[in-house]
Amino acid sequence: MSVTIAMANQKGGVGKTTSTIEFATILTKLGKRVLAIDLDQQCNLTKNAEADRTAPTIFDLFSRDDVDMAQAIQTVDAGYSIIAGSPEMSKADKIFDDPTAVYLLDDLIDALSEDYDYFLIDNAPARNIPLNMSYIAADYFIMCADSGEDSLDGIDAIVSDMMKYHKSNKRSLSDAKILGILITRFRQTNIGNAVLDIINEKLDTDVPDVLKPEERPFIMTVRETAAVDEAKMVHKPLELYKKSSTASMDYRRIVDEIVRRIEE
């Protein structure tokens, strides 16, 4: 069975796109069939993966009936497949205002479920219709954070919204669980350790049991290193650009944990 993992936080710049790219690359190297979906109107996943911007986009698939899904799915140099994002997703809240529109992503993934082992969704840092689509389509959420207060508030917002879909109209529209929380650009400092303590407390006190998988959500870190920014500049996954870097080693460790939890 395929598994859908959504990356999310209401705050931008916390590593959602970088993490999506690294997860997709490493999972592909492990022999998994991976499709990454760019739901962010900024299209950073599409850009950094060097996907073809002229191919049909996720917006095209959602808004038009005459788009061939096979033409929208492309394989990038890192080996995984991707459906490109579109700046037109900025109109999503106006265009996809029908109540049934929140099922568009779930329907798309269901149609492709036999072709892929992992679907990775890169969400925009916003409370919008595409994120609502992810609440319904995803099996798991991984939330990225840094040491800033805003990113911790963003985790609270995601938890609050997930609960609405678990309890909507007294019936669950979502079975999504919080697989883990990823702290990017981590430094072993007093502030970094304080953030770890805060997130541990949040998991124990602020995250309802219905959002937790059988095993407690993981809290894992990606150490700060210049190699991450260097890899972005040349539009390469860190795993292929500098796999000896501490951050790359951290991402491999995290992917091992994801696979262990999902596949064992």
Side-chain angles (χ1 to χ4, degrees):
M1 292 180 62
S2 63
V3 175
T4 301
I5 300 174
M7 309 296 295
N9 193 311
Q10 300 297 318
K11 182 180 183 296
V14 294
K16 294 187 298 294
T17 299
T18 296
S19 298
T20 302
I21 289 172
E22 296 307 317
F23 290 166
T25 303
I26 296 167
L27 284 167
T28 299
K29 290 181 69 174
L30 291 175
K32 311 300 181 183
R33 301 169 300 167
V34 181
L35 176 62
I37 301 173
D38 191 348
L39 288 189
D40 191 345
Q41 66 200 48
Q42 297 179 55
C43 307
N44 288 328
L45 173 61
T46 302
K47 178 178 68 177
N48 290 327
E50 295 197 324
D52 181 3
R53 301 292 291 272
T54 66
T57 67
I58 191 67
F59 181 84
D60 295 326
L61 290 173
F62 285 167
S63 61
R64 293 167 47 192
D65 294 329
D66 61 340
V67 178
D68 184 351
M69 192 181 301
Q71 293 182 347
I73 298 173
Q74 50 184 298
T75 302
V76 297
D77 288 345
Y80 59 88
S81 298
I82 186 172
I83 297 178
S86 169
E88 291 187 278
M89 287 299 283
S90 63
K91 309 172 188 175
D93 284 359
K94 293 182 179 179
I95 293 177
F96 306 122
D97 58 349
D98 185 282
T100 62
V102 291
Y103 296 99
L104 286 170
L105 180 62
D106 191 44
D107 290 342
L108 183 150
I109 289 173
D110 185 60
L112 296 169
S113 61
E114 293 187 2
D115 299 326
Y116 296 95
D117 302 307
Y118 286 86
F119 294 90
L120 302 178
I121 307 170
D122 188 24
N123 283 288
R127 275 172 148 161
N128 56 16
I129 294 295
L131 180 59
N132 293 343
M133 294 178 185
S134 290
Y135 289 134
I136 290 176
D139 298 299
Y140 298 103
F141 269 72
I142 293 178
M143 292 182 283
C144 294
D146 57 20
S147 58
E149 185 177 2
D150 289 347
S151 74
L152 300 181
D153 291 341
I155 292 175
D156 292 335
I158 295 291
V159 170
S160 175
D161 288 349
M162 287 181 74
M163 282 305 300
K164 292 176 184 176
Y165 278 90
H166 273 266
K167 293 182 176 179
S168 182
N169 296 322
K170 297 183 180 180
R171 65 187 181 90
S172 176
L173 296 179
S174 170
D175 294 319
K177 308 292 185 184
I178 298 173
L179 186 63
I181 298 176
L182 184 60
I183 305 173
T184 60
R185 298 183 180 276
F186 180 74
R187 290 170 140 190
Q188 193 77 42
T189 63
N190 289 337
I191 293 176
N193 291 326
V195 169
L196 280 174
D197 291 340
I198 291 170
I199 291 177
N200 269 295
E201 184 176 352
K202 281 183 179 294
L203 277 181
D204 292 334
T205 61
D206 298 342
V207 177
D209 288 341
V210 70
L211 299 185
K212 299 175 184 178
E214 291 184 7
E215 191 172 352
R216 186 178 189 268
F218 66 72
I219 301 174
M220 301 183 76
T221 61
V222 177
R223 286 168 285 182
E224 185 174 41
T225 173
V228 172
D229 293 328
E230 292 171 5
K232 284 183 183 178
M233 288 293 291
V234 296
H235 293 177
K236 284 189 175 182
L238 185 60
E239 174 68 13
L240 301 182
Y241 173 74
K242 199 171 188 177
K243 68 178 296 183
S244 61
S245 67
T246 54
S248 189
M249 289 188 282
D250 291 339
Y251 274 118
R252 290 196 295 275
R253 177 172 51 89
I254 294 162
V255 169
D256 286 344
E257 179 66 12
I258 291 171
V259 172
R260 182 190 70 80
R261 287 176 177 241
I262 289 174
E263 299 188 13
E264 284 188 358

